[in-house]
């Protein structure tokens, strides 16, 4: 069983920055072996994939966040991060951490999800 707990959300002004964290835990779970993802659900919209990070360090970003967001991981601490810079009101969403089923970035829907953390970008 895998547990994922996000933190770091909050209210920030446009142009500001936030760093989201996701702490992973669970028995029989080797964090470093799996690709990890950040998704978000903006108000009134479908959930979308924001950033992906393979176990080998390969990254992939949704076009609207490219150059502004950075996904990273600490395999010793078993934590996933999302550094968000130059935030825009349209980045307002609930952000979710998710664990992939394999080491490489995949289109497969993740099976393990955190509870989400709210990010609100507003002046």
């Amino acid at each position: 069983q895998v547990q994922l707990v996000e933190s770091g959300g909050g209210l920030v002004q446009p142009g500001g920055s936030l760093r989201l964290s996701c702490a992973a835990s669970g028995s029989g779970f080797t964090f470093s072996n799996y690709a990890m993802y950040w998704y978000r659900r903006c108000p009134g919209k479908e959930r979308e994939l924001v950033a992906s990070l393979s176990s080998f360090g390969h990254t992939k970003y949704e076009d609207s966040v490219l150059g502004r967001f950075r996904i990273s991981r600490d395999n010793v601490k078993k934590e996933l991060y999302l550094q968000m810079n130059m935030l825009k009101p349209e980045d307002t969403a609930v952000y979710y951490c998710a664990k992939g089923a394999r080491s490489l970035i995949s289109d497969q829907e993740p099976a393990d999800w955190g509870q989400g953390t709210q990010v609100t970008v507003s002046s």
Side-chain angles (χ1 to χ4, degrees):
Q1 188 73 16
V2 176
Q3 292 84 42
L4 301 171
V5 179
E6 301 95 336
S7 61
L11 173 64
V12 63
Q13 292 187 342
S17 298
L18 277 177
R19 188 195 194 206
L20 305 183
S21 298
C22 172
S25 62
S27 60
F29 167 50
T30 304
F31 179 78
S32 60
N33 287 352
Y34 295 93
M36 297 294 294
Y37 303 88
W38 284 103
Y39 285 76
R40 69 184 180 188
R41 187 188 300 276
C42 300
K45 295 186 178 180
E46 296 291 318
R47 185 178 63 199
E48 65 177 350
L49 176 60
V50 175
S52 309
L53 176 60
S54 78
S55 65
F56 304 102
H58 300 129
T59 59
K60 186 176 181 180
Y61 296 94
E62 195 270 329
D63 285 347
S64 70
V65 308
L66 191 62
R68 299 189 298 121
F69 289 11
R70 180 175 180 271
I71 187 171
S72 62
R73 65 196 299 164
D74 185 326
N75 289 331
V76 175
K77 294 183 178 180
K78 298 183 181 180
E79 292 187 351
L80 179 73
Y81 308 106
L82 186 67
Q83 178 66 44
M84 304 186 295
N85 300 323
M86 296 181 287
L87 282 161
K88 304 175 181 180
E90 51 264 43
D91 294 319
T92 294
V94 178
Y95 285 74
Y96 299 90
C97 164
K99 169 189 161 291
R102 56 187 67 185
S103 59
L104 296 176
I105 294 170
S106 165
D107 291 336
Q108 182 178 358
E109 176 91 351
D112 300 291
W113 296 82
Q115 83 289 349
T117 185
Q118 175 71 47
V119 172
T120 302
V121 185
S122 175
S123 54

